[in-house]
Amino acid sequence: MSEGRFEPRVVVFACNWCSYAGIDLAGTSRIKYPHNVRIVKVMCSGRVNPEMVLKALADGADGVLITGCHPGDCHYISGNYKTMRRYFLLKKLLKQLGLEERVRLEWISASEGERWARVATDFVEHIRRLGPLRLKEVMSSE
Amino acid sequence: MSDVRIGVYVCHCGKNIGGVINPAKVAEFASRLPNVVVSRDYMYMCSSPGQALIEDDIKKYNLNRVIVAACSPRMHEPTFQAVLKRAGLNPWLLQMVNIREHVTWVHEDTPDKAEEKAEELIAAAVARAAHLYEITTEKAPVVKSALVIGGGIAGIRAALDLANAGIKVYLVEKKQSIGGKMAQLDKTFPTLDCSKCILTPLMVDVARHPNIEIYAYSEVVDVSGSAGDFKVKVKLKPTYVDWSKCTGCGLCVEKCPGRAPSEFNEGLGFRKAIYFEFAQAVPRKPVIDPRYCLWFTKGICRVCSKVCPVGAIDYEQKERYVELNVGAIVVAIGYEIYDMSKMVEYGYGKFKNVITGLQLERLSDADGPTKGKILRLSDGKEPKTVAIVLCAGSRDEKHVKYCCRFGCAAALKHVYYIKHSVPDSKVLIFYTDVRAFGKGFEEFYQKVRSWDDVYFIRGRPAEIFEDKDGSLVFDVYDSNTGQLINVKADLVVLESAVVPPKDWEPLRRLLKVSCDPGGFALELHPKLRPFETTADGIFLAGTIQGPKDIPDTVAHAAAAAAAAIGFLLKGYVESVPYLATVNEDLCSGCGLCASVCPYDAITIEEKEGRRVAKVNMIRCKGCGACAATCPSGAMQQNYFTDTQILSEVSTLAGGAK
Ligand SMILES: Cc1cc2nc3c(=O)[nH]c(=O)nc-3n(C[C@H](O)[C@H](O)[C@H](O)COP(=O)(O)OP(=O)(O)OC[C@H]3O[C@@H](n4cnc5c(N)ncnc54)[C@H](O)[C@@H]3O)c2cc1C
Ligand code: FES
């Protein structure tokens, strides 16, 4: 791998009950994945609103990953369905801004440490291919 | 709090963190962040000197925020919150940073990047901590009763322990009798004591206990409410027999002309259309199976109704529902054996003389379809050569990945059954490994190995074929000798893999319990809290948490009951700290928050001539959906306010330097 290759910054929202626990499990099982991801814990994926995602991109993140329990498994009954609906609306907005590819929603259960590592690796590589976003620089130079 | 004074504590966790990054350097970095008054590293922050260090600093430096960078908050958040409490600080002024599970355990190969990541996570926590505030919780009383779901040995033990502690117990069992798989076993390894002799007295104790109410032939169909105050809806399936009148005399069963395959005997032999689950059933009350009853299928017969001395037969009976109110729930619905017909190469279901271990238990039982004689199903002859196949479907990528934990010991017991019933037989055991790990198992294994005409062969049969006479032929590659051997056996016994019961999936969704990769219930912590779940007030007993033999099942069930007793006797539950809170000045009373709340915890009320949202503190479970929906920012979630989350996000997005 070449020196000085682009290292994306990825902000991840993870719900406490499934995804955060799954990410912890990757740790306990020593399953490796790229260091580029930064995890923000919320109690439920349904807590994540568009402002949080946009704020991450605006303040320097190259990609945002929202993770929650699989459909039907949300600790709070239906939070992840709300997340899903909100995500499709957000995607429409992001598409107009040309940022659609930078945000993803994934379901990670508490036992899917391995799947989390795959999802994280895949998303980081995807963002690496897209290249840096530099929204922060663009916005501050205007 | 205007003056924010933060203490940062970076843990080495021995080499777990300290072996990858340099905690002293990270602490030094943190000391230069805004509002940080003191920053330290220590070998084991959770140890008592580590805790004392934080406690002393809080007092000495007048800290009002504490950041601990260590393991996952799911591990030690309560530990460090208790430290804050002892030092007189509100526990929600603590912020944990996960630099072990999320950093050093996964980025060992890039220590520089790991260190940079740890620093950024701490910087984000420092930014977030400035916006933390004190949180108080409310207490609600606990209903002193428990629901036990499943009446196998796990459910029986848990119900008895709870009831003996003075707690009212409702035991819901799907089948018409309690007892579970243990009732189907002939003997139990490694001591070979009679399974029913040790089980049935306990079943009777359950039935007689003044604190236990059994709902047999019933299912849980809805669960609402929360820890300490669950509302449970139970469906009582129609039995077509009024159990309150029935004396269990069995005349109806005796006279019934209908016949059906016996589930209790694993499909071997027959039962009547009106039947007891088994002779020692508790409750000992019969059920009519409408699929086989001549009245239901052909409109004739009604013999049972004619002979019943108390008029208990009721063909018109409908399903009924009861509502239970309980403080805690113990899940004990056990396991099922894997459908062996999915392993087409073994011919189960196609060849009569290929049976499962559980079927062998039924053949060996004096009360079973062959009165305890082990015979071939095709011709009723004694099998002279028996092949036992271990790990059938277990430890197999194509079927079930995990170990069943009792197949090996059950196979040793099965050798005994066969040699006992057919002394001049030859028994071949095909194994992958023999795992004789329990107390007394190794001794039992050595004893069985020493018997004449018992052969242990390391290898799995390739494909099993049936001969004209019903015998079975197959090749096995013996990995100990490197030879391919051809086997001809009169009977093949598959020690089958085990899986969670089919109706676990819908039940676990009602209960909000997660599952492991095998589908079994996920415990709160695999080592420290193996009988609790992430759902408060819901406990796990026995094999629903993962395969176990009877001694381990009983120990697990007793532990679950003890945990449930502790929870119920404490007498109260606390509201969650992560409650929704309303800033009434900003609230326009639009009601969007109430519409997304899954718990009906928000109402819109009139206050001083304005409409504002109001949160019910005990109903709210703290998901934050309302806060995410509120268009004005009036609705916030404690510990996860917009400002708190956004400050963290902003730092993580922009980097710390
Ligand atoms: C062939 C074989 C031989 C064995 N031999 C031995 C042995 O010799 N010694 C030993 O220690 N172990 C042995 N075992 C293991 C033993 O069977 C288990 O350890 C034990 O039965 C586990 O008890 P349990 O209560 O967890 O589950 P189960 O016995 O499966 O009981 C679960 C109960 O829950 C009920 N239920 C299921 N779903 C629901 C629902 N949705 N609602 C309400 N009720 C429900 C079931 O009807 C059942 O009554 C053997 C197992 C097999 C397969
Ligand atoms: S708790 Fe995981 S998505 Fe709701």
Side-chain angles (χ1 to χ4, degrees), chain B residues 39 46 54 68 95 100 108 135 278 299 327 331 335 386 390 395 424 437 470 473 482 508 518 574 582 593 622-623:
Chain B
S39 176
C46 62
I54 302 175
V68 179
Q95 177 67 47
R100 192 180 74 173
E108 210 187 341
I135 300 174
F278 53 100
V331 188
Y335 68 95
V386 182
L390 264 61
R395 307 168 68 201
D424 61 344
F437 55 87
V473 288
R508 95 175 171 78
E574 275 184 87
V582 195
C593 51
C623 65

Side-chain angles (χ1 to χ4, degrees), chain B residues 282-298:
Chain B
V282 168
R284 194 184 137 81
K285 309 278 176 178
V287 166
I288 296 180
D289 184 343
R291 295 169 305 168
Y292 296 96
C293 167
L294 293 173
W295 172 247
F296 282 95
T297 54
K298 300 207 170 93

Side-chain angles (χ1 to χ4, degrees), chain A residues 15 17-18 43-45 68-69 74-76 79-80:
Chain A
C15 79
W17 304 99
C18 291
M43 292 313 285
C44 173
S45 68
C69 312
C74 172
H75 187 73
Y76 305 101
N80 49 4

Side-chain angles (χ1 to χ4, degrees), chain B residues 344-388:
Chain B
V344 277
E345 62 272 35
Y346 288 170
Y348 179 80
K350 211 163 65 180
F351 308 145
K352 272 198 155 167
N353 298 326
V354 178
I355 64 172
T356 64
L358 204 50
Q359 287 178 319
L360 187 75
E361 295 285 344
R362 298 314 306 138
L363 293 181
S364 182
D365 189 343
D367 220 10
T370 52
K371 304 272 173 280
K373 287 300 294 170
I374 293 178
L375 303 171
R376 302 215 309 176
L377 297 172
S378 64
D379 50 17
K381 284 191 192 145
E382 280 193 339
K384 297 293 179 196
T385 307
V386 182
I388 301 182

Side-chain angles (χ1 to χ4, degrees), chain B residues 405-448:
Chain B
R405 283 183 63 101
F406 45 66
C408 292
L412 298 173
K413 178 179 69 169
H414 292 161
V415 176
Y416 169 83
Y417 290 175
I418 296 158
K419 296 296 275 182
H420 196 75
S421 178
V422 191
D424 61 344
S425 61
K426 185 164 112 184
V427 185
L428 311 169
I429 297 114
F430 296 95
Y431 70 97
T432 310
D433 303 285
V434 175
R435 296 181 166 172
F437 55 87
K439 185 166 170 170
F441 289 16
E442 179 62 24
E443 294 82 342
F444 183 47
Y445 174 38
Q446 292 308 334
K447 189 159 86 187
V448 174

Side-chain angles (χ1 to χ4, degrees), chain B residues 149-155 172-175 177-182 185 187-189 218-220 332-335 337 357-358 361 406 410 413-414 495 498 501 503 507 541-544 548-551 553:
Chain B
I149 314 177
I153 184 60
V172 173
E173 166 58 52
K174 179 172 78 171
K175 297 195 178 149
S177 171
I178 59 172
K181 305 286 183 307
M182 195 175 163
L185 305 181
K187 296 186 170 48
T188 54
F189 60 71
S218 299
E219 278 164 28
V220 170
I333 66 166
Y335 68 95
I337 64 170
L358 204 50
E361 295 285 344
F406 45 66
K413 178 179 69 169
H414 292 161
E495 301 297 353
V498 304
D503 38 4
L507 180 63
T543 48
I544 187 58
K548 287 174 194 60
D549 59 12
I550 296 164
T553 296

